[in-house]
Amino acid sequence: MRKLPSLKALQAFDAAARLGSFSAAAEEMSVSPSAVSHQIRALEVELGVMLFERINRTIVLTDLGNAFADRVGRGFSELEAASVAIGRTTRFDILTIHCAPSLAKQWLMPRLKQFCNANPDLDVRLNATPNPINLLSIEADFDIRFGHFPSQPGVRRIAFPPETMLVLCAPELLNGAVPIRAPIDMARQSLIHSELNLFSWNDWFKAEGLSDLFDEKGLRFDSSFMAIDAAVDGQGAILESHLHVQNELKSKRLVAPFGLAGYTVQGHSLNFVQSRTRLPKVEAFKSWILAELGIDDGSEAL
């Protein structure tokens, strides 16, 4: 058990030391000056030292009192800071989401406002880097990953629905100098490559039986969102997941010459620590994002 003086006595001493007056300390604490004087006298008896010199009707800290006041003041400041911090945590629980950059920019960010509006007590933090993180060290509550990664014990993985890879271009390119009407027309187009995609232009040409016509030349980007921006600017055609281009298709900044059917890949997954699913913030986000993706909340983990 900690050997501490009375908290009331310490509060009275701290107030008197800061304000230089028993009366001012009493006013701050909403008690009488005699009550403050009594608490400080009891503290001096308990510690066995004089903390104040009483000179007429004024008080002055002794050398020991001054040193004690400094440490007591710092102690109360730490307690106050801790109380403020825990109060903020009570009001705003922090939900941290780590996400693959392109999905974060193209799909998650435009939808986060809906989640935040439905969960005003949550403070949402979104971090976007291409590398997976260690969920077991609680670096984040969720990791939305792209591609295939080794599983971690205790971490549940729910696959996103298969993603359809679409041929896309700006409207002006569709009916440009080299119109796009059939897959063979892609051999004469400028191709934009997203290097991290799981289904590349090379794969597409092979699947269409056009391997001999594939040309590797073209702009290359290590993020889908940059490739998408280049396509919107009319710099070439892209092969991209429907999940990444829903806004561009809706706004008609991009069109799909061959429609919205295509080859599919298993691209993204939602990852989280199974033992934390009962936390309200974890349950809230999991339920929300699965509903957005049209996934049954009882889906089996990968």
Side-chain angles (χ1 to χ4, degrees):
M1 181 180 294
R2 295 181 184 274
K3 187 177 180 181
L4 296 172
S6 161
L7 181 59
K8 286 185 178 180
L10 289 174
Q11 287 177 305
F13 169 72
D14 174 66
R18 283 187 290 104
L19 301 172
S21 164
F22 287 176
S23 296
E27 185 176 349
E28 180 178 274
M29 297 177 67
S30 299
V31 296
S32 67
S34 62
V36 171
S37 178
H38 175 76
Q39 290 288 351
I40 292 174
R41 176 64 69 186
L43 181 61
E44 289 177 322
V45 170
E46 183 175 356
L47 295 177
V49 297
M50 291 289 292
L51 298 172
F52 288 100
E53 292 281 356
R54 281 80 169 170
I55 304 173
N56 296 325
R57 293 188 177 184
T58 63
I59 56 170
V60 179
L61 284 165
T62 63
D63 289 343
L64 286 175
N66 190 58
F68 189 56
D70 181 61
R71 301 187 71 171
V72 169
R74 281 188 278 123
F76 277 119
S77 294
E78 283 295 313
L79 287 171
E80 184 178 32
S83 299
V84 170
I86 198 68
R88 286 174 178 167
T89 301
T90 301
R91 293 191 298 273
F92 295 100
D93 207 357
I94 298 172
L95 175 74
T96 303
I97 307 161
H98 179 267
C99 186
S102 292
L103 189 77
K105 178 180 183 295
Q106 297 295 125
W107 187 85
L108 184 56
M109 283 178 60
R111 290 167 171 77
L112 266 184
K113 184 178 180 180
Q114 302 170 25
F115 175 78
C116 292
N117 287 343
N119 297 272
D121 290 335
L122 286 180
D123 185 3
V124 178
R125 293 179 180 173
L126 176 61
N127 302 323
T129 63
N131 300 318
I133 60 172
N134 183 6
L135 285 167
L136 296 177
S137 68
I138 318 299
E139 292 180 44
D141 297 296
F142 290 92
D143 189 7
I144 303 175
R145 299 181 180 179
F146 178 72
H148 307 290
F149 299 93
S151 60
Q152 291 176 280
V155 174
R156 185 180 176 196
R157 180 185 302 174
I158 299 178
F160 278 35
E163 299 171 32
T164 303
M165 301 299 292
L166 303 177
V167 174
L168 301 148
C169 65
E172 59 268 26
L173 197 63
L174 179 66
N175 299 307
V178 183
I180 302 173
R181 300 290 182 266
I184 196 170
D185 297 329
M186 300 309 299
R188 296 189 296 162
Q189 296 293 327
S190 296
L191 303 180
I192 298 172
H193 303 267
S194 184
E195 295 185 319
L196 297 182
N197 271 350
L198 300 178
F199 190 79
S200 66
W201 274 118
N202 186 30
D203 296 324
W204 185 87
F205 273 84
K206 284 182 180 178
E208 293 290 333
L210 302 171
S211 293
D212 293 343
L213 300 178
F214 175 63
D215 188 343
E216 293 186 357
K217 293 180 181 179
L219 287 170
R220 295 181 179 275
F221 298 95
D222 65 357
S223 295
S224 287
F225 69 84
M226 290 192 291
I228 292 167
D229 286 347
V232 169
D233 288 340
Q235 298 183 51
I238 57 169
L239 183 65
E240 190 52 67
S241 166
H242 188 198
L243 198 65
H244 284 161
V245 294
Q246 292 175 5
N247 289 335
E248 286 75 15
L249 286 170
K250 185 177 180 180
S251 64
K252 298 183 179 180
R253 289 178 292 162
L254 290 178
V255 294
F258 311 129
L260 301 182
Y263 303 101
T264 61
V265 296
Q266 189 63 63
H268 294 87
S269 62
L270 180 70
N271 300 266
F272 52 93
V273 177
Q274 180 65 40
S275 62
R276 291 171 57 81
T277 53
R278 291 192 177 184
L279 290 175
K281 64 176 181 178
V282 173
E283 176 59 31
F285 183 76
K286 178 170 75 75
S287 297
W288 174 81
I289 193 171
L290 295 186
E292 287 291 309
L293 292 166
I295 298 176
D296 181 0
D297 204 347
S299 296
E300 291 298 319
L302 289 178

